[in-house]
Amino acid sequence: FGFLRVKELSGTEALLRQLCRLKPRAIICNTRDLHAPILQLLKPYQQNGGIVICYDYPVQLACDQVIFDRAKNATLATQHLLKAGHRRIGIHPGHRYPRDKRFSSPRLGGFKTALKEAHVPLRNDWIFYSERTYEEAGQDIAAQFLALPVSKRPTALYIVNDRTAAAFVHTAMREDVKVPEELSIVSDDDLPSASSCYVPLTAVSQPVQQIAETVVKLLEERLKNPDMTPRYNVIEGELTSRRSVAKTSA
């Protein structure tokens, strides 16, 4: 169970109620974009013996959870750029929900943490947003970057995700911005396409396989022993270095 778009939240409550009425033995729930009141519908289902395994974002629910640590991904990416000598670092934290306060940006939080630990100031004008996604978002944030005077641009960017980063790089290079000589890029997800771009992308992984295997393992164990204390597993990505990051003294 789960939805990936805010516009679909209006029908989520009715669908989850219907699912619980069917009384499956267990529900695996993707918690992305599901706010707390909807998730509370799972409590009566649990009280009647149903098993819930949640994954992705942490939730206030007494159940087994597998959490993808997006903040850690951002911290790893930013630390990699800092180690390369960059101090003028920007971010595109992913799709923005500016009018919906239920949604936060853990990647932006991890980015801020890494800058703070390195005593590097945060520049709000180097946080690039787009109302669109993937390639279109990459074009949007490239336009924002290119609109800045050359002396006012960051020398490095952490961009979520690979498709957005690739579109950004292609758009910027068409305007004679050299990657990585003038601008270093770290992407997120580390899909196979990250290594096959014109400039192969340094990227932090989203370990989908590990998340899925952990969910299945917890479910199998829970089916055998329903009375276990709820377990909380955090999964972190790994950074793979490629050609899109260059060292700098700037």
Side-chain angles (χ1 to χ4, degrees):
F1 183 85
F3 279 86
L4 298 179
R5 293 290 178 265
V6 171
K7 65 183 180 181
E8 296 170 332
L9 285 177
S10 59
T12 304
E13 181 175 347
L15 184 57
L16 184 53
R17 288 184 185 278
Q18 175 64 19
L19 178 60
C20 290
R21 281 195 292 267
L22 294 174
K23 298 180 180 180
R25 183 73 185 89
I27 295 174
I28 296 174
C29 185
N30 178 355
T31 57
R32 180 178 175 178
D33 294 353
L34 295 181
H35 61 294
I38 288 178
L39 287 165
Q40 294 309 303
L41 297 174
L42 290 168
K43 283 187 174 180
Y45 167 79
Q46 287 180 296
Q47 291 167 357
N48 290 323
I51 293 171
V52 175
I53 310 288
C54 286
Y55 75 95
D56 206 351
Y57 286 89
V59 293
Q60 297 298 316
L61 196 67
C63 66
D64 294 329
Q65 299 187 39
V66 181
I67 307 305
F68 171 43
D69 193 345
R70 289 171 170 81
K72 183 65 174 180
N73 266 33
T75 299
L76 287 173
T78 310
Q79 288 173 340
H80 184 75
L81 293 168
L82 289 164
K83 289 176 182 176
H86 294 276
R87 294 298 181 268
R88 300 164 58 86
I89 305 174
I91 183 175
H92 168 61
H95 189 55
R96 187 185 185 193
Y97 301 105
R99 291 174 294 279
D100 198 320
K101 302 304 181 183
R102 295 172 298 185
F103 299 97
S104 61
S105 175
R107 288 189 179 92
L108 184 56
F111 174 73
K112 291 178 178 178
T113 296
L115 291 184
K116 184 177 180 179
E117 290 176 349
H119 306 290
V120 173
L122 173 71
R123 288 277 300 266
N124 287 323
D125 56 331
W126 291 346
I127 303 175
F128 298 96
Y129 288 114
S130 174
E131 296 289 342
R132 302 192 294 176
T133 56
Y134 301 120
E135 289 81 5
E136 291 179 334
Q139 294 167 5
D140 286 347
I141 63 175
Q144 295 169 36
F145 172 85
L146 293 166
L148 296 172
V150 173
S151 62
K152 302 295 185 181
R153 294 173 182 172
T155 63
L157 284 175
Y158 168 50
I159 299 177
V160 181
N161 49 57
D162 296 332
R163 290 168 58 182
T164 300
F168 175 95
V169 170
H170 296 160
T171 304
M173 291 184 72
R174 282 198 296 268
E175 298 299 324
D176 297 324
V177 176
K178 296 181 177 63
V179 178
E181 294 85 355
E182 296 175 350
L183 178 65
S184 289
I185 302 291
V186 177
S187 181
D188 200 280
D189 285 352
D190 199 18
L191 299 172
S193 58
S195 62
S196 61
C197 294
Y198 180 73
V199 179
L201 295 171
T202 294
V204 192
S205 65
Q206 180 166 340
V208 175
Q209 186 71 23
Q210 185 181 0
I211 292 169
E213 290 174 354
T214 305
V215 167
V216 172
K217 180 176 181 290
L218 292 180
L219 177 58
E220 290 175 337
E221 294 172 351
R222 179 64 58 181
L223 287 167
K224 294 175 183 176
N225 186 358
D227 298 323
M228 284 190 297
T229 301
R231 295 158 296 172
Y232 191 88
N233 290 256
V234 178
I235 307 293
E236 298 178 356
E238 296 181 353
L239 187 139
T240 298
S241 179
R242 299 189 182 95
R243 286 176 48 201
S244 64
V245 174
K247 291 185 178 181
T248 182
S249 57

